Amino acid sequence: MGSSEKRSKDIMSDIPTFSAENLQNNLKVIQNSRTFLSIIAGVLAGIIGFNGLIGFVFYFVVMLITSVGLMAKAGFSADLYFDSWNRVLFDGFLGGLMSFVLFWTFAYDLVHIF
């Protein structure tokens, strides 16, 4: 009986536990940083004068750099701060696209049309 209790304790210690409040805060930080960088990238793409597909490629490159930066900030061990790697890499990825397009077209219009 002693060995089965030990195995059950080992199994229970292998299950990751997260604080819901800390996890929510970490996800909020990711969302805010992606939104902020989407706005900055949109303004930059508009000022530079990117058109069409080049602008969208620029957005995806900026989001890739953002994901790498967030992973570096987490010490490349996302399991300590998030429930999965996908949260760091893809959470808020398309949500920031709308902000990017809005500020991209706004800055492009201000600089190149008016």
Side-chain angles (χ1 to χ4, degrees):
M1 263 315 185
S3 65
S4 66
E5 287 177 10
K6 185 177 180 182
R7 279 190 231 141
S8 68
K9 285 182 183 180
D10 290 340
I11 291 171
M12 292 303 286
S13 67
D14 290 342
I15 297 173
T17 56
F18 296 102
S19 166
E21 185 177 326
N22 291 343
L23 184 63
Q24 268 187 329
N25 185 43
N26 293 343
L27 294 175
K28 185 177 168 185
V29 167
I30 286 178
Q31 186 71 27
N32 289 343
S33 63
R34 284 199 189 274
T35 303
F36 176 73
L37 287 172
S38 295
I39 292 169
I40 297 299
V43 169
L44 190 60
I47 290 172
I48 292 172
F50 289 147
N51 289 341
L53 192 59
I54 301 290
F56 289 107
V57 169
F58 179 71
Y59 172 75
F60 289 116
V61 167
V62 168
M63 288 298 108
L64 178 68
I65 292 169
T66 303
S67 294
V68 170
L70 289 169
M71 288 303 297
K73 178 83 172 163
F76 294 100
S77 57
D79 2 340
L80 296 176
Y81 304 102
F82 304 99
D83 53 352
S84 72
W85 283 80
N86 291 337
R87 292 283 191 154
V88 181
L89 297 177
F90 301 116
D91 199 34
F93 199 78
L94 293 177
L97 185 61
M98 290 185 265
S99 299
F100 172 79
V101 170
L102 175 70
F103 282 91
W104 176 24
T105 55
F106 180 68
Y108 185 88
D109 288 347
L110 283 178
V111 173
H112 297 284
I113 294 178
F114 295 119

